[in-house]
Amino acid sequence: MGYSSICLFIFFALFLGHVFVKLEASQHVYRTLQTCQSFSSSITSQPYRTGYHFQPPSSWMNDPNGPMIYKGIYHFFYQYKLWDTVVWGHSTSTDMVNWTPHDAAIYPSQPFDANSCWSGSVTILPGGNPAVLYTGIDAGNKQVQNLAVPKNLSDPYLKEWIKPPENPLMVPADQIDPGSFRDPTTAWIGPDKIWRVIIGSKINDTGLAILYRSKDFVNWTKAEQSLYSTNQSGMWECPDFFPVSTKSPKGVDTSVIGPNIKHVLKVSLSNYQQDYYTIGTYNITTDTYIAEEGSFDDNSGLRYDYGKFYGSKTFFDSAKNRRILWGWINESSTRSDNLKKGWAGLQATPRNLWLDKSGRQLMQWPISEIEKLRGNQVKWPAKLLERGSMVGITGITAAQADVEISFQTTAFEKAEVLDSIWTNPQFLCPFGLLVLASNGLQEYTAVFFRIFKGQDRHIVLMCSDQSRSSINDDNDKTSYGAFLDLDPVHEKLSIRSLIDRSIVESFGGGGKACITARIYPTLAIHDKAHLYAFNNGTEKVNITSLRAWSMKKAQIN
Ligand SMILES: *[C@@H]1O[C@H](CO)[C@@H](O)[C@H](O)[C@H]1NC(C)=O
Ligand SMILES: *[C@@H]1O[C@H](CO)[C@@H](O)[C@H](O)[C@H]1NC(C)=O
Ligand SMILES: *[C@@H]1O[C@H](CO)[C@@H](O)[C@H](O)[C@H]1NC(C)=O
Ligand SMILES: *[C@@H]1O[C@H](CO)[C@@H](O)[C@H](O)[C@H]1NC(C)=O
Ligand SMILES: *[C@@H]1O[C@H](CO)[C@@H](O)[C@H](O)[C@H]1NC(C)=O
Ligand SMILES: *[C@@H]1O[C@H](CO)[C@@H](O)[C@H](O)[C@H]1NC(C)=O
Ligand SMILES: *[C@@H]1O[C@H](CO)[C@@H](O)[C@H](O)[C@H]1NC(C)=O
Ligand SMILES: *[C@@H]1O[C@H](CO)[C@@H](O)[C@H](O)[C@H]1NC(C)=O
């Protein structure tokens, strides 16, 4: 938060016509409009504007809000910044690839949300009607939870929302700081016909998922005990709590409990700006969630994504029986560069999410619909990559592509022992992909594997190294790494990278680890970007399969 400018302000004004009027912006806006207009029209031709990742026409976006399917239409809402307030931007789709924009769905209009409409979730009530619970920043700048319901249930686009007079439904109570009480989840209902919802919070430095209960979805009572808390984890934002099947990769609806079900609690740790999750068991009689042994509930735990990915939220897609994950991808550029390009923030490709067979972690994979955008294909037969070699993957648009590559190596005896104090992946580059690479390699981003010898097994590290991604040094070029829970002797080492101009979203081991990078090449743009497979290790590596596609542009907003 804390981001605004006159130019961005005007883009909002243009886009959110009626909200603009309701908020009574000053004439000042019109005076500065002219200077920004030319700038606005050039946005879509910018090299960093993506081709198939969700983004609004301009301005600042962050958290995904209230994703759902209603009457066969996918809805996506998002935190959309309007000078000093935030509204719910709104788009709809039939495939989650191409999106039609609508006016803001929820915007400040009442004392209980006068200063912004922050994040929240949709619950599909029995009978199929959606209800939004969201955080309002009220006239006194307190965070409160409000309800909004569709005005016209016959309208599949749900363009208008009304806020019942009972609002606010939940206000900060007991020791809860009014500035640390936000982001209601999708609610779930028990066999006792009682609704439950959790709200992100903290007391001192203990992060909390405060539990509320209700019989009617309107009158909510705070439970004495939080659903879960972790000492010294700081503020919990955007919690998400949902069941996963232990028997099938299919998704299950949010209220499902019983055998063959585990639960996932995800929190966005504000102190670390990362989304962490635990897998555990939920007892609806006692309303307690117990994270499994070995499932760490602090910042040493499992993450959805080891790169840029925050404030995420899932929903159950009842049309295809799957659970879909949405997450915000922040910029890595400076505030002034963000202002110059006129927009900031993207959404990751919607991902199908399920429990791995091991039960130890979640798996993620881009929704299959995204494959509709695949154009030209390149396919290689198995190929040996000599030590220190690099092979160009040509015949596709390297700046906007989908690449799947698998490796096999047998030289395990020579693997290095993992140094426990090793923290910097920067210089360790054995084999993988070089994406968004310039002629002469002044710029490239390396997405790669490295294998180490562990105590009694091999350890696979997947990395995304941004240190050479741009010759512009103003950007955040942190390199990211994740350990992959797989046995490289018997399983293939695969990477899928969705490359989209300024995003590289990589999935290792079929979805066991994800790393999303934001990069801003200055040379490796448009048709000057190249893609390579490389082996910088001391041993030969086989590429067992490679398929890569040019990606077409989606119709987004
Ligand atoms: C509700 O939406 C339907 C479908 O779009 C439309 O035909 C109808 O006129 C709308 N009703 C009102 C009261 O706006
Ligand atoms: C929070 O910290 C304050 C000041 O250190 C202390 O008085 C209070 O008891 C703490 N609250 C809880 C719930 O631990
Ligand atoms: C709200 O629910 C609580 C707990 O069930 C109940 O005690 C209270 O009377 C209800 N209030 C209203 C206004 O219905
Ligand atoms: C968390 O903090 C509370 C209060 O400071 C303490 O009583 C409790 O033992 C701590 N829990 C853990 C798991 O450290
Ligand atoms: C939930 O807790 C209750 C009360 O402790 C217990 O009787 C019940 O067996 C538990 N349910 C499950 C599924 O573990
Ligand atoms: C998002 O990126 C900006 C820099 O562009 C940074 O200041 C901010 O802390 C980031 N926020 C999160 C949640 O990652
Ligand atoms: C590469 O594949 C060939 C043919 O399957 C095999 O003979 C060779 O051992 C493999 N080399 C490595 C380094 O895995
Ligand atoms: C490969 O290794 C050499 C020597 O260590 C290093 O200079 C080069 O940057 C590495 N290449 C990649 C792509 O990491």
Side-chain angles (χ1 to χ4, degrees), residues 154-184:
S154 313
D155 169 20
Y157 300 106
L158 301 173
K159 283 186 215 145
E160 291 184 88
W161 292 76
I162 50 179
K163 301 165 186 172
E166 290 86 352
N167 280 320
L169 305 186
M170 297 165 234
V171 299
D174 306 328
Q175 303 163 68
I176 302 303
D177 181 295
S180 306
F181 182 61
R182 55 182 178 269
D183 310 336

mmCIF file of all heavy atoms in Angstrom, residues 154-184:
data_model
loop_
_atom_site.group_PDB
_atom_site.id
_atom_site.type_symbol
_atom_site.label_atom_id
_atom_site.label_comp_id
_atom_site.label_asym_id
_atom_site.label_seq_id
_atom_site.Cartn_x
_atom_site.Cartn_y
_atom_site.Cartn_z
ATOM 1 N N SER A 154 -29.930 -12.643 -11.235
ATOM 2 C CA SER A 154 -30.118 -13.135 -12.608
ATOM 3 C C SER A 154 -29.005 -12.662 -13.531
ATOM 4 O O SER A 154 -28.878 -13.142 -14.648
ATOM 5 C CB SER A 154 -31.446 -12.644 -13.189
ATOM 6 O OG SER A 154 -32.473 -12.830 -12.281
ATOM 7 N N ASP A 155 -28.230 -11.701 -13.063
ATOM 8 C CA ASP A 155 -27.136 -11.183 -13.889
ATOM 9 C C ASP A 155 -25.887 -12.035 -13.657
ATOM 10 O O ASP A 155 -25.264 -11.955 -12.602
ATOM 11 C CB ASP A 155 -26.871 -9.721 -13.494
ATOM 12 C CG ASP A 155 -25.586 -9.195 -14.108
ATOM 13 O OD1 ASP A 155 -25.103 -9.791 -15.104
ATOM 14 O OD2 ASP A 155 -25.046 -8.201 -13.588
ATOM 15 N N PRO A 156 -25.491 -12.853 -14.635
ATOM 16 C CA PRO A 156 -24.329 -13.738 -14.409
ATOM 17 C C PRO A 156 -23.042 -12.946 -14.187
ATOM 18 O O PRO A 156 -22.069 -13.486 -13.663
ATOM 19 C CB PRO A 156 -24.252 -14.570 -15.691
ATOM 20 C CG PRO A 156 -25.017 -13.816 -16.718
ATOM 21 C CD PRO A 156 -26.050 -12.997 -15.995
ATOM 22 N N TYR A 157 -23.024 -11.683 -14.590
ATOM 23 C CA TYR A 157 -21.818 -10.866 -14.420
ATOM 24 C C TYR A 157 -21.760 -10.179 -13.059
ATOM 25 O O TYR A 157 -20.755 -9.557 -12.721
ATOM 26 C CB TYR A 157 -21.694 -9.852 -15.566
ATOM 27 C CG TYR A 157 -21.616 -10.572 -16.892
ATOM 28 C CD1 TYR A 157 -22.705 -10.582 -17.769
ATOM 29 C CD2 TYR A 157 -20.484 -11.313 -17.225
ATOM 30 C CE1 TYR A 157 -22.650 -11.295 -18.963
ATOM 31 C CE2 TYR A 157 -20.428 -12.025 -18.404
ATOM 32 C CZ TYR A 157 -21.507 -12.016 -19.273
ATOM 33 O OH TYR A 157 -21.451 -12.733 -20.434
ATOM 34 N N LEU A 158 -22.837 -10.278 -12.302
ATOM 35 C CA LEU A 158 -22.862 -9.745 -10.928
ATOM 36 C C LEU A 158 -22.212 -8.360 -10.851
ATOM 37 O O LEU A 158 -21.274 -8.133 -10.072
ATOM 38 C CB LEU A 158 -22.158 -10.728 -9.981
ATOM 39 C CG LEU A 158 -22.751 -12.141 -9.915
ATOM 40 C CD1 LEU A 158 -21.862 -13.069 -9.089
ATOM 41 C CD2 LEU A 158 -24.164 -12.133 -9.339
ATOM 42 N N LYS A 159 -22.720 -7.483 -11.668
ATOM 43 C CA LYS A 159 -22.058 -6.175 -11.772
ATOM 44 C C LYS A 159 -22.312 -5.295 -10.565
ATOM 45 O O LYS A 159 -21.495 -4.449 -10.228
ATOM 46 C CB LYS A 159 -22.529 -5.477 -13.046
ATOM 47 C CG LYS A 159 -21.847 -6.052 -14.284
ATOM 48 C CD LYS A 159 -22.211 -5.270 -15.520
ATOM 49 C CE LYS A 159 -22.316 -6.190 -16.709
ATOM 50 N NZ LYS A 159 -23.349 -5.800 -17.641
ATOM 51 N N GLU A 160 -23.484 -5.466 -9.947
ATOM 52 C CA GLU A 160 -23.787 -4.567 -8.831
ATOM 53 C C GLU A 160 -23.923 -5.335 -7.527
ATOM 54 O O GLU A 160 -24.503 -6.424 -7.484
ATOM 55 C CB GLU A 160 -25.083 -3.810 -9.116
ATOM 56 C CG GLU A 160 -24.921 -2.806 -10.238
ATOM 57 C CD GLU A 160 -26.200 -2.014 -10.429
ATOM 58 O OE1 GLU A 160 -26.359 -0.979 -9.748
ATOM 59 O OE2 GLU A 160 -27.045 -2.455 -11.235
ATOM 60 N N TRP A 161 -23.400 -4.724 -6.486
ATOM 61 C CA TRP A 161 -23.381 -5.358 -5.165
ATOM 62 C C TRP A 161 -24.002 -4.404 -4.148
ATOM 63 O O TRP A 161 -23.815 -3.188 -4.234
ATOM 64 C CB TRP A 161 -21.943 -5.704 -4.775
ATOM 65 C CG TRP A 161 -21.393 -6.797 -5.646
ATOM 66 C CD1 TRP A 161 -20.967 -6.666 -6.940
ATOM 67 C CD2 TRP A 161 -21.281 -8.183 -5.318
ATOM 68 N NE1 TRP A 161 -20.584 -7.894 -7.432
ATOM 69 C CE2 TRP A 161 -20.759 -8.850 -6.454
ATOM 70 C CE3 TRP A 161 -21.562 -8.937 -4.172
ATOM 71 C CZ2 TRP A 161 -20.519 -10.227 -6.475
ATOM 72 C CZ3 TRP A 161 -21.304 -10.304 -4.199
ATOM 73 C CH2 TRP A 161 -20.797 -10.940 -5.341
ATOM 74 N N ILE A 162 -24.740 -4.979 -3.204
ATOM 75 C CA ILE A 162 -25.320 -4.134 -2.163
ATOM 76 C C ILE A 162 -24.788 -4.545 -0.794
ATOM 77 O O ILE A 162 -24.406 -5.693 -0.573
ATOM 78 C CB ILE A 162 -26.868 -4.144 -2.181
ATOM 79 C CG1 ILE A 162 -27.410 -5.565 -2.202
ATOM 80 C CG2 ILE A 162 -27.403 -3.343 -3.364
ATOM 81 C CD1 ILE A 162 -28.921 -5.636 -2.197
ATOM 82 N N LYS A 163 -24.756 -3.578 0.083
ATOM 83 C CA LYS A 163 -24.187 -3.792 1.421
ATOM 84 C C LYS A 163 -25.322 -3.673 2.434
ATOM 85 O O LYS A 163 -25.838 -2.583 2.641
ATOM 86 C CB LYS A 163 -23.118 -2.731 1.690
ATOM 87 C CG LYS A 163 -21.987 -2.750 0.665
ATOM 88 C CD LYS A 163 -21.148 -1.488 0.714
ATOM 89 C CE LYS A 163 -20.127 -1.457 -0.415
ATOM 90 N NZ LYS A 163 -19.430 -0.151 -0.490
ATOM 91 N N PRO A 164 -25.722 -4.782 3.040
ATOM 92 C CA PRO A 164 -26.868 -4.757 3.954
ATOM 93 C C PRO A 164 -26.643 -3.807 5.137
ATOM 94 O O PRO A 164 -25.493 -3.569 5.531
ATOM 95 C CB PRO A 164 -26.988 -6.204 4.436
ATOM 96 C CG PRO A 164 -26.198 -7.015 3.471
ATOM 97 C CD PRO A 164 -25.152 -6.123 2.893
ATOM 98 N N PRO A 165 -27.724 -3.295 5.706
ATOM 99 C CA PRO A 165 -27.610 -2.303 6.794
ATOM 100 C C PRO A 165 -27.019 -2.866 8.086
ATOM 101 O O PRO A 165 -26.633 -2.098 8.950
ATOM 102 C CB PRO A 165 -29.060 -1.866 7.012
ATOM 103 C CG PRO A 165 -29.908 -2.944 6.414
ATOM 104 C CD PRO A 165 -29.107 -3.548 5.303
ATOM 105 N N GLU A 166 -26.932 -4.204 8.209
ATOM 106 C CA GLU A 166 -26.347 -4.792 9.433
ATOM 107 C C GLU A 166 -24.841 -4.546 9.522
ATOM 108 O O GLU A 166 -24.241 -4.753 10.574
ATOM 109 C CB GLU A 166 -26.594 -6.306 9.483
ATOM 110 C CG GLU A 166 -28.040 -6.700 9.727
ATOM 111 C CD GLU A 166 -28.865 -6.781 8.446
ATOM 112 O OE1 GLU A 166 -28.354 -6.378 7.362
ATOM 113 O OE2 GLU A 166 -30.020 -7.223 8.510
ATOM 114 N N ASN A 167 -24.223 -4.128 8.439
ATOM 115 C CA ASN A 167 -22.767 -3.904 8.450
ATOM 116 C C ASN A 167 -22.373 -2.812 9.438
ATOM 117 O O ASN A 167 -23.149 -1.904 9.667
ATOM 118 C CB ASN A 167 -22.294 -3.491 7.043
ATOM 119 C CG ASN A 167 -22.157 -4.698 6.125
ATOM 120 O OD1 ASN A 167 -21.695 -5.743 6.527
ATOM 121 N ND2 ASN A 167 -22.566 -4.521 4.880
ATOM 122 N N PRO A 168 -21.165 -2.836 10.010
ATOM 123 C CA PRO A 168 -20.165 -3.899 9.883
ATOM 124 C C PRO A 168 -20.562 -5.121 10.714
ATOM 125 O O PRO A 168 -21.195 -4.975 11.751
ATOM 126 C CB PRO A 168 -18.901 -3.252 10.441
ATOM 127 C CG PRO A 168 -19.395 -2.272 11.453
ATOM 128 C CD PRO A 168 -20.711 -1.755 10.927
ATOM 129 N N LEU A 169 -20.160 -6.286 10.252
ATOM 130 C CA LEU A 169 -20.560 -7.519 10.938
ATOM 131 C C LEU A 169 -19.572 -7.933 12.015
ATOM 132 O O LEU A 169 -19.927 -8.623 12.947
ATOM 133 C CB LEU A 169 -20.703 -8.662 9.928
ATOM 134 C CG LEU A 169 -21.647 -8.434 8.747
ATOM 135 C CD1 LEU A 169 -21.785 -9.709 7.941
ATOM 136 C CD2 LEU A 169 -23.010 -7.948 9.201
ATOM 137 N N MET A 170 -18.312 -7.564 11.835
ATOM 138 C CA MET A 170 -17.282 -7.931 12.824
ATOM 139 C C MET A 170 -16.386 -6.716 13.025
ATOM 140 O O MET A 170 -15.926 -6.130 12.047
ATOM 141 C CB MET A 170 -16.430 -9.103 12.309
ATOM 142 C CG MET A 170 -17.213 -10.385 12.087
ATOM 143 S SD MET A 170 -16.280 -11.580 11.073
ATOM 144 C CE MET A 170 -17.444 -11.926 9.760
ATOM 145 N N VAL A 171 -16.183 -6.376 14.280
ATOM 146 C CA VAL A 171 -15.321 -5.235 14.590
ATOM 147 C C VAL A 171 -14.219 -5.703 15.531
ATOM 148 O O VAL A 171 -14.406 -6.688 16.253
ATOM 149 C CB VAL A 171 -16.128 -4.070 15.228
ATOM 150 C CG1 VAL A 171 -17.199 -3.562 14.269
ATOM 151 C CG2 VAL A 171 -16.766 -4.494 16.538
ATOM 152 N N PRO A 172 -13.070 -5.037 15.528
ATOM 153 C CA PRO A 172 -11.974 -5.494 16.395
ATOM 154 C C PRO A 172 -12.401 -5.499 17.861
ATOM 155 O O PRO A 172 -12.951 -4.505 18.340
ATOM 156 C CB PRO A 172 -10.848 -4.492 16.142
ATOM 157 C CG PRO A 172 -11.399 -3.444 15.237
ATOM 158 C CD PRO A 172 -12.707 -3.895 14.705
ATOM 159 N N ALA A 173 -12.208 -6.633 18.526
ATOM 160 C CA ALA A 173 -12.660 -6.772 19.912
ATOM 161 C C ALA A 173 -11.508 -7.251 20.779
ATOM 162 O O ALA A 173 -10.470 -7.682 20.271
ATOM 163 C CB ALA A 173 -13.805 -7.772 19.979
ATOM 164 N N ASP A 174 -11.712 -7.229 22.057
ATOM 165 C CA ASP A 174 -10.734 -7.691 23.047
ATOM 166 C C ASP A 174 -9.392 -6.993 22.798
ATOM 167 O O ASP A 174 -9.352 -5.786 22.709
ATOM 168 C CB ASP A 174 -10.612 -9.220 23.013
ATOM 169 C CG ASP A 174 -11.997 -9.879 23.179
ATOM 170 O OD1 ASP A 174 -12.829 -9.268 23.877
ATOM 171 O OD2 ASP A 174 -12.236 -10.935 22.595
ATOM 172 N N GLN A 175 -8.321 -7.780 22.650
ATOM 173 C CA GLN A 175 -7.010 -7.109 22.531
ATOM 174 C C GLN A 175 -6.626 -6.835 21.090
ATOM 175 O O GLN A 175 -5.462 -6.579 20.807
ATOM 176 C CB GLN A 175 -5.932 -7.989 23.147
ATOM 177 C CG GLN A 175 -6.194 -8.345 24.586
ATOM 178 C CD GLN A 175 -5.329 -9.524 24.978
ATOM 179 O OE1 GLN A 175 -4.116 -9.424 25.055
ATOM 180 N NE2 GLN A 175 -5.962 -10.648 25.232
ATOM 181 N N ILE A 176 -7.578 -6.944 20.178
ATOM 182 C CA ILE A 176 -7.208 -6.832 18.765
ATOM 183 C C ILE A 176 -7.045 -5.373 18.344
ATOM 184 O O ILE A 176 -7.954 -4.556 18.512
ATOM 185 C CB ILE A 176 -8.261 -7.534 17.874
ATOM 186 C CG1 ILE A 176 -8.400 -9.009 18.271
ATOM 187 C CG2 ILE A 176 -7.898 -7.384 16.403
ATOM 188 C CD1 ILE A 176 -7.106 -9.812 18.217
ATOM 189 N N ASP A 177 -5.891 -5.095 17.795
ATOM 190 C CA ASP A 177 -5.588 -3.763 17.311
ATOM 191 C C ASP A 177 -6.466 -3.471 16.083
ATOM 192 O O ASP A 177 -6.525 -4.304 15.173
ATOM 193 C CB ASP A 177 -4.097 -3.747 16.944
ATOM 194 C CG ASP A 177 -3.649 -2.395 16.446
ATOM 195 O OD1 ASP A 177 -4.118 -1.958 15.368
ATOM 196 O OD2 ASP A 177 -2.829 -1.779 17.127
ATOM 197 N N PRO A 178 -7.124 -2.306 16.047
ATOM 198 C CA PRO A 178 -8.013 -1.996 14.907
ATOM 199 C C PRO A 178 -7.274 -1.879 13.579
ATOM 200 O O PRO A 178 -7.900 -1.851 12.519
ATOM 201 C CB PRO A 178 -8.644 -0.655 15.279
ATOM 202 C CG PRO A 178 -8.104 -0.266 16.600
ATOM 203 C CD PRO A 178 -7.103 -1.261 17.070
ATOM 204 N N GLY A 179 -5.944 -1.852 13.620
ATOM 205 C CA GLY A 179 -5.172 -1.809 12.378
ATOM 206 C C GLY A 179 -4.645 -3.183 11.988
ATOM 207 O O GLY A 179 -3.892 -3.315 11.022
ATOM 208 N N SER A 180 -5.051 -4.213 12.727
ATOM 209 C CA SER A 180 -4.547 -5.577 12.466
ATOM 210 C C SER A 180 -5.703 -6.566 12.534
ATOM 211 O O SER A 180 -5.727 -7.468 13.379
ATOM 212 C CB SER A 180 -3.492 -5.975 13.505
ATOM 213 O OG SER A 180 -2.476 -5.012 13.571
ATOM 214 N N PHE A 181 -6.676 -6.381 11.652
ATOM 215 C CA PHE A 181 -7.883 -7.206 11.715
ATOM 216 C C PHE A 181 -8.473 -7.228 10.319
ATOM 217 O O PHE A 181 -9.285 -6.383 9.956
ATOM 218 C CB PHE A 181 -8.846 -6.557 12.723
ATOM 219 C CG PHE A 181 -10.126 -7.301 12.936
ATOM 220 C CD1 PHE A 181 -10.135 -8.596 13.422
ATOM 221 C CD2 PHE A 181 -11.348 -6.675 12.681
ATOM 222 C CE1 PHE A 181 -11.341 -9.258 13.639
ATOM 223 C CE2 PHE A 181 -12.550 -7.342 12.893
ATOM 224 C CZ PHE A 181 -12.544 -8.635 13.375
ATOM 225 N N ARG A 182 -8.017 -8.189 9.485
ATOM 226 C CA ARG A 182 -8.456 -8.090 8.097
ATOM 227 C C ARG A 182 -8.431 -9.410 7.325
ATOM 228 O O ARG A 182 -7.930 -10.407 7.789
ATOM 229 C CB ARG A 182 -7.602 -7.062 7.354
ATOM 230 C CG ARG A 182 -6.098 -7.294 7.393
ATOM 231 C CD ARG A 182 -5.395 -6.147 6.647
ATOM 232 N NE ARG A 182 -3.954 -6.256 6.679
ATOM 233 C CZ ARG A 182 -3.172 -5.709 7.609
ATOM 234 N NH1 ARG A 182 -3.697 -5.025 8.611
ATOM 235 N NH2 ARG A 182 -1.853 -5.852 7.559
ATOM 236 N N ASP A 183 -8.983 -9.333 6.119
ATOM 237 C CA ASP A 183 -8.920 -10.385 5.091
ATOM 238 C C ASP A 183 -9.709 -11.654 5.431
ATOM 239 O O ASP A 183 -9.128 -12.751 5.572
ATOM 240 C CB ASP A 183 -7.457 -10.755 4.781
ATOM 241 C CG ASP A 183 -6.580 -9.543 4.491
ATOM 242 O OD1 ASP A 183 -7.127 -8.505 4.076
ATOM 243 O OD2 ASP A 183 -5.350 -9.639 4.680
ATOM 244 N N PRO A 184 -11.035 -11.547 5.567
ATOM 245 C CA PRO A 184 -11.833 -12.746 5.858
ATOM 246 C C PRO A 184 -11.685 -13.805 4.764
ATOM 247 O O PRO A 184 -11.564 -13.493 3.582
ATOM 248 C CB PRO A 184 -13.272 -12.223 5.921
ATOM 249 C CG PRO A 184 -13.252 -10.884 5.267
ATOM 250 C CD PRO A 184 -11.864 -10.335 5.431
#
